[in-house]
Amino acid sequence: MSEVPASHPRYLSLKLREAMVAGVEKGITSVHGLIAHGRGEALDYLIGEASQSFALEAIRVAAALLLRATHPVISVNGNAAAMVPAELTALGRLLPAPLEVNIFHASQLREQAIGDHLLAHGAHTVLMPTDQALLSFIESNRRFVHPEGIFRADVVFVPLEDGDRCQALRRMGKEVVTVDLNPLSRTARTASATIVDNLARAMPLLLAAVAQLRQESAGTWQEIISGYDNHAVLRAAEARIRSGA
Ligand code: ATP
């Protein structure tokens, strides 16, 4: 790791780049993941590289959806594993919910590397893709899931999702919570709650929201969820990007 001084104006951005490159070197992240990360960086720049009010609102709803779930599952790909392994593990412990490895570009080696990386960061349960359970409405490698994980989940947390699987999960009747810096993506538009923020900034906020809301009643979670309009949140995010403020 190169030394980036904390005072550097692009500190977080540079640290994340290093984490992504380290992810590729460790066999966790695909090279395609670097391109997806670059698109995220550009959008992050346009939202001001800060967690805006539309993200905070979605984070609260995301926490309520995950707490209300009977069987929540955290889906992890190579980018998320490289960027926020400790936070994903902490979320799994707090809810509690299993982590499940699910990647777009098929590679058993990379799946194993992601699983090992999460276990090294203290995950208590890491489920792997299987051919015992397949998602409907989708053809890619992401259809292979674990029968006790994503397959039977009622709420799936899928940071940095691809649109096809988000649509498939929704068509299977599941709630989807995502983190996506692009409010125009199919994922953002299809999910139940879209946190338009950098995953690295959103995870600590989501952890804090879950820790706070778990003290509240199921009635409070329900109220938070029923008053929520994901499309309004996406419009606010898009307006921020277009305004260039
Ligand atoms: P879709 O299939 O949903 O229309 P896509 O094909 O554009 O989306 P992918 O390339 O599968 O999306 O995934 C990359 C997405 O992840 C992009 O929308 C990008 O903005 C977002 N992204 C990249 N890095 C981050 C990050 N650090 N935090 C949050 N979102 C990110």
Side-chain angles (χ1 to χ4, degrees), residues 19 41 103 122-123 125 160 171 174 179 183 189 217:
E41 274 193 354
I103 62 179
T125 314
L160 317 181
R171 283 177 74 185
K174 301 174 193 297
V179 183
R189 290 171 176 273
S217 67

Side-chain angles (χ1 to χ4, degrees), residues 177-213:
V177 173
T178 193
V179 183
D180 191 336
L181 278 160
N182 182 5
L184 301 171
S185 76
R186 286 170 306 148
T187 304
R189 290 171 176 273
T190 321
S192 319
T194 305
I195 301 165
V196 183
D197 198 3
N198 194 310
L199 179 62
R201 280 194 309 268
M203 279 308 295
L205 298 174
L206 179 61
L207 284 166
V210 170
Q212 191 226 327
L213 283 181

